[in-house]
Amino acid sequence: MAAHRSGPLKQQNKAHKGGRHRGRGSAQRDGKGRLAPKTLSKKVRKDLSRVDQRHRASQLRKQKKEAVLAEKRQLGSKDGPPHQVLVVPLHDRISLPEAFRLLQDRDTGTVHLNERGSTHSFMLLCPRLKHRWFFTSARPGDLHTVLDMAKVADTILFLLDPLEGWDSTGDYCLSCLFAQGLPTYTLAVQGISSLPPKKQVDARRKLSKAVEKRFPEDKLLLLDTQQEAGMLLRQLANQKQRHLAFRDRRAYLFAHAADFVPSEENDLMGTLKISGYVRGQALNVNSVLHIIGHGDFQMKQIDAPVDPFPLNPRVIRSSKDSGTAMEICSADAVADMEEDLKVLMKADPDRQASLQTEVIPDPMEGEQTWPTEEELSEAHDLLKESSKVVKKVPKGTSSYQAEWILDEDGESGGEGDEYDDTEHENFMEEESQDEGNEEEEEEECETMTIGESVRDDLYDEKVDEEAEEKMLEKYKQERLEEMFPDEVDTPRDVAARIRFQKYRGLKSFRTSPWDPKENLPRDYARIFQFQNFINTRRRIFKEIEEEEVEGAEVGWYVTLHVSEVPVSVVEHFKRGTPLIAFSLLPHEQKMSVLNMVVSRHPGNTEPVKAKEELIFHCGFRRFRASPLFSQHTAADKHKFQRFLTADTALVVTVYAPITFPPASVLLFKQNSNGMHSLIATGHLLSVDPDRMVIKRVVLSGHPFKIFTKTAVVRYMFFNREDVLWFKPVELRTKWGRRGHIKEPLGTHGHMKCSFDGKLKSQDTVLMNLYKRVFPKWTYDPYVPEPVPWVKSEISSTVPEMDME
């Protein structure tokens, strides 16, 4: 049978265009496993199915959970460092020896006491809980000790009073610790069992309500019996650890023992042997070691002695009597330390980091040979070609100033006379003395009424009249700065063109150009600068996470041989001062310009002027410096602030060693009685010498005669030459008008000015002048120990601050 064949008139339908509308399945079948380059560069999660995405998320959660558990198990275990607990009593009624007695339970584990100077500490070994603790203590009044110990402590145990919680000293200590950054902490109440049973519940309720302000959603534990002490130890062992960013990326060590070996040439310098447990990161012998409060040093070698506090001590059977056994603990371990001493690493001179902190400037760098006749003629011809527009300008006007001079048509341009800058003075000179002389006339007219004390005739004996006068002068200057920001009086004994010769006018503070490399001071030749600080910081942090460092691992008990250390370091250690060492990251021993964002602490209201010497706690460092204050903005120029204001955050600029953020910042001011007052807290912003701090000076004048948009202004200048000198600078008024100087009138400083609108008679004419300022080089790594805070001293100063 023949098959049917379609004729020529059969309908022909269009074929399906599958290539343009293919689905994912057909594309994968046709590709046979091949992927495009763009698909390979995308994240894998987009190509996973929903079931695979859930599986991957569960795997990531499991890995994070295992990492947290591993960290918790390592801390205080036999392979990790002991769990270091800092005990801080926040009230003077709390008995620290009683708390230590409850924690030193012989039934819980083995206790090793260590009393050095005024510091009490002990090691608690508990094989039953498979944990070992190292308890130290610090009084809130000893501020440096509390802050330094909190930098290395794994947990802080705050002891509270059942009635008041904490006193004024404890509250001040908590403010400093919160600003620096708190590690894991626990709250315990001591003495609540001594209250009547009916008042215990009420006392706990009131205390919990008071504690919520600083510690929200934290439970209060009791510490009155051995059973409560055991529960507290379990809480400390099972707590989730909080991390401090500045110490997690560096190796650090708390000294359990220290020995000093003087050198042969000088008894005051020698080798310091520091023994302790490595924490944070692995410790390399070639890195620079920073001892808090003493400076940077190099290491010669790292030894690995026997751990003096093993969790499971070795048991040695006696050969004579098999039934007797002897435990090797700390005393025996120290005796056998010399026999089992093992040298881990010795410093390699080729790979060891240098202690160079500053660049040694070459005085001949930048010198030029005298130009030849051909070069002078070429420059002269080039100058003639470039000056296309010529106009009249006052004598002595620079080319920059001539750009702002307006022609009769209202257009600017042209070149002025050649300007010979005969004096390039140092930008770091202090202006405060001159400005103080300018304001003498106004300050002499002010009077002050002093009341007589009738009840207490001995009160005046305790008052320092000189300090009172200085503080009163600061208050006056701060109030004047608030009322008339940046305004100064034009001096009459010195010409304004001489007094303000380092200043310039700007068309716009935000958009006008200013070269950051222009007229730098000599101190800038001594500092280091990164080509790209953010990329360098990112690269160093990535190397820490990915690369393995040769050296002592975390948890090892080691002895560091630190060379060229003064004998004062070990003397402070013997008196009870904690000895804490941090390993520095690359470049952190070098000097540069640090910028820090700080906010005024509400507990301090005294005026703080720029360039006053302050005490800095920046990360793990402590030093003294004289900072500059400037506005915290996103522009390329930042206005200088003469005082540390209380309402906004400011940027503090100082010369200091490089520190990679994040790092907390605390600013203290030393009082006349030796105490340190917390004035500001914040964080490290950047290491950038090119950040420009611009000081503004405002000269004011008063309109004398007004003719619609033209006015005669007086009292801004006092001679004709000054008016001609500052003629190119733009004027503004407090009511928003803008204008410029047209011409001087007479010889007493009167000048005719034109504005963009009609001037009011009560308006004030202003002229803004700017110059770049730099901090003073007053960096000092040695900070004197403060006088301990006493409750009576704090309470006596609080009413005065409230009254102010």
Side-chain angles (χ1 to χ4, degrees), residues 288-289 296-298 353-358 563-564 589:
V288 178
L289 196 71
D296 302 336
F297 304 95
Q298 288 181 328
S354 173
L355 285 178
Q356 182 184 3
T357 59
E358 303 175 14
S563 57
E564 299 298 327
Q589 74 275 16

Side-chain angles (χ1 to χ4, degrees), residues 20 40 77 171 187 321 334 336 366 374 389 411 424 471 524 577 674 700-701 712 734 759 784:
R20 185 180 299 178
L40 291 173
S77 64
D171 185 68
L187 306 177
D321 187 3
V334 172
D336 297 341
E374 296 178 357
V389 181
E411 298 178 355
H424 290 284
M471 188 58 63
Y524 262 53
T577 305
S700 59
V712 177
K734 289 189 175 182
L759 206 64

Side-chain angles (χ1 to χ4, degrees), residues 73-308:
R73 293 190 189 103
Q74 185 185 17
L75 183 62
S77 64
K78 62 177 182 178
D79 298 326
H83 191 151
Q84 186 162 340
V85 182
L86 173 63
V87 182
V88 180
L90 296 179
H91 203 282
D92 57 357
R93 287 201 294 260
I94 293 173
S95 175
L96 192 59
E98 178 64 20
F100 272 21
R101 185 188 65 80
L102 294 173
L103 294 171
Q104 295 171 3
D105 187 8
R106 301 289 179 179
D107 297 334
T108 305
T110 309
V111 178
H112 301 282
L113 299 176
N114 179 21
E115 295 188 5
R116 184 185 68 256
S118 59
T119 304
H120 302 282
S121 60
F122 66 92
M123 185 77 71
L124 178 61
L125 308 176
C126 183
R128 180 167 56 87
L129 295 177
K130 298 180 181 180
H131 210 85
R132 52 179 177 172
W133 291 273
F134 178 61
F135 286 90
T136 58
S137 62
R139 285 285 177 184
D142 193 357
L143 194 60
H144 280 185
T145 302
V146 173
L147 293 177
D148 291 346
M149 296 284 286
K151 292 172 184 175
V152 296
D154 299 312
T155 304
I156 300 181
L157 176 59
F158 293 114
L159 299 182
L160 307 179
D161 182 71
L163 298 178
E164 299 180 8
W166 50 75
D167 54 12
S168 55
T169 310
D171 185 68
Y172 178 73
C173 177
L174 285 176
S175 300
C176 297
L177 288 175
F178 272 95
Q180 178 177 267
L182 271 181
T184 309
Y185 61 88
T186 303
L187 306 177
V189 184
Q190 186 191 62
I192 202 167
S193 61
S194 61
L195 299 176
K198 295 183 179 179
K199 294 185 178 181
Q200 290 183 8
V201 178
D202 189 30
R204 291 187 64 176
R205 185 176 66 254
K206 290 182 179 178
L207 186 59
S208 299
K209 190 174 181 180
V211 165
E212 279 183 359
K213 297 178 182 179
R214 282 198 179 269
F215 304 96
E217 299 179 1
D218 283 323
K219 295 182 179 180
L220 296 175
L221 301 178
L222 302 180
L223 185 59
D224 289 326
T225 62
Q226 295 286 355
Q227 184 179 2
E228 293 170 349
M231 294 176 61
L232 179 60
L233 290 176
R234 289 183 179 274
Q235 170 70 12
L236 295 176
N238 297 325
Q239 259 185 325
K240 182 181 178 180
Q241 294 298 311
R242 299 174 64 181
H243 295 275
L244 296 180
F246 73 88
R247 74 180 187 185
D248 285 346
R249 294 186 175 96
R250 300 170 178 86
Y252 58 97
L253 179 141
F254 178 83
H256 290 263
D259 187 20
F260 183 78
V261 180
S263 61
E264 298 178 356
E265 296 83 7
N266 189 1
D267 293 339
L268 299 178
M269 302 289 291
T271 301
L272 180 65
K273 297 181 180 180
I274 307 174
S275 299
Y277 294 92
V278 180
R279 301 171 183 269
Q281 297 287 334
L283 179 60
N284 193 338
V285 70
N286 294 318
S287 61
V288 178
L289 196 71
H290 175 77
I291 300 178
I292 294 181
H294 300 284
D296 302 336
F297 304 95
Q298 288 181 328
M299 293 179 283
K300 292 195 292 187
Q301 71 179 39
I302 300 178
D303 299 337
V306 177
D307 191 347

